[in-house]
Amino acid sequence: MNQEQKLTHVYLMPGMAADSAIFENISLPEDEFKVHPLKWEIPHVDESLEKYAKRILRYVKHSEPVLIGVSFGGVIVQEMAKYIEVERLIIISSVKCSDELPPRMKFASKTGLFKLIPTGLADYVDYFEKIAVGDFLKKRARLYKQYISITDKQYLNWAIKNMVNWKCDRPDEKVIHIHGDRDEVFPIKNIHGAIKIKGGTHIMIINRFRWFNENLPELISTGKLKKKEQTKQVN
């Protein structure tokens, strides 16, 4: 068996409209893991989530890979895992099933209000950067501009529609869910059975990367946290 065959292959799916650069600070031991960032593609008109997930699966070249998805990317990897065997399925700052969506998203789905969300994201990010007041907002604006890679309206309309309308009968039992207790997009009060990151926000894959670098290897290898992290979860 050569070195390539010994490695665990880890595929990373970024959040909605985000570039794989959100994983730039994620570092896994190179003698154990090979990381493969995935990218968003522009969906076809009226393409189903299932068909889109199968299309992204074309880029998964190894058997029984590890799939890790952030936010809407977490939904995509869960859909991908319906069609292949995976060694580990990990979602970050995401939801395991539609019942974990916040009430505002459920309302948007039920009423169709998601269709009214403006999707001129490039214009929005530029505007947000110009009007941001205070260090926190200015930093957040720079982060958005740095990591948002897709501003295509067809993609954004499709992604928002499929996020709020996502349906699942029950959560996949294989899912390992990592979630920040200060996530402003998917509030922790709606999330069940997740590994909670104290102070973690929706973008913690970027600004809490040290936690992931320390804990992902063990989670991938065993499906469990290190004992000291398990103690923190209890306390």
Side-chain angles (χ1 to χ4, degrees):
M1 183 181 292
N2 60 37
Q3 181 62 23
E4 175 77 7
Q5 292 173 318
K6 292 178 183 178
L7 296 174
T8 297
H9 293 275
V10 181
Y11 287 81
L12 305 176
M13 192 74 198
M16 186 183 295
D19 190 87
S20 58
I22 68 168
F23 302 113
E24 64 186 357
N25 291 317
I26 299 301
S27 178
L28 301 177
E30 294 182 0
D31 60 336
E32 298 179 56
F33 306 99
K34 176 69 174 178
V35 173
H36 308 271
L38 295 168
K39 295 182 179 180
W40 292 104
E41 294 194 342
I42 304 303
H44 301 145
V45 176
D46 295 325
E47 185 172 13
S48 69
L49 195 60
E50 294 78 12
K51 287 184 178 179
Y52 188 87
K54 288 181 179 179
R55 189 145 63 94
I56 300 299
L57 267 176
R58 292 181 304 171
Y59 301 102
V60 176
K61 304 297 186 181
H62 302 89
S63 61
E64 297 189 27
V66 173
L67 299 181
I68 300 179
V70 175
S71 192
F72 184 49
V75 172
I76 296 296
V77 296
Q78 287 176 83
E79 290 294 322
M80 292 166 66
K82 292 178 179 179
Y83 306 107
I84 61 170
E85 291 294 326
V86 297
E87 180 173 341
R88 206 75 65 198
L89 179 58
I90 299 173
I91 64 173
I92 300 165
S93 306
S94 188
V95 292
K96 291 186 292 299
C97 214
S98 45
D99 66 343
E100 292 188 334
L101 291 172
R104 65 181 181 277
M105 288 191 187
K106 293 178 181 178
F107 181 75
S109 173
K110 188 175 182 180
T111 61
L113 282 176
F114 64 88
K115 299 174 185 176
L116 303 179
I117 297 173
T119 51
L121 191 59
D123 296 334
Y124 171 78
V125 172
D126 283 338
Y127 179 69
F128 183 44
E129 185 177 41
K130 289 174 183 175
I131 66 169
V133 178
D135 291 341
F136 173 77
L137 287 181
K138 287 179 180 177
K139 184 177 181 182
R140 178 62 63 89
R142 287 195 297 270
L143 281 174
Y144 279 134
K145 195 162 188 176
Q146 180 179 354
Y147 293 107
I148 292 296
S149 65
I150 299 182
T151 56
D152 181 88
K153 287 189 176 184
Q154 180 174 313
Y155 164 83
L156 292 167
N157 285 328
W158 175 88
I160 291 169
K161 173 184 175 182
N162 280 281
M163 183 70 254
V164 302
N165 289 329
W166 186 44
K167 297 291 187 284
C168 62
D169 296 328
R170 61 181 182 276
D172 189 325
E173 294 180 358
K174 298 190 297 290
V175 172
I176 296 172
H177 190 170
I178 307 172
H179 211 86
D181 65 3
R182 292 178 57 193
D183 192 304
E184 63 276 20
V185 176
F186 301 119
I188 193 69
K189 64 183 179 181
N190 303 311
I191 305 299
H192 313 288
I195 296 169
K196 296 180 184 178
I197 308 303
K198 187 175 182 180
T201 66
H202 196 65
I203 60 169
M204 64 183 183
I205 191 64
I206 297 170
N207 56 24
R208 296 294 295 275
F209 64 88
R210 290 181 182 84
W211 186 94
F212 290 97
N213 288 342
E214 183 178 345
N215 292 283
L216 274 180
E218 185 75 14
L219 275 173
I220 291 171
S221 298
T222 69
K224 298 178 181 179
L225 284 171
K226 297 177 182 178
K227 287 187 177 180
K228 66 175 183 178
E229 284 296 327
Q230 291 178 16
T231 301
K232 288 180 184 179
Q233 291 292 310
V234 173
N235 298 333

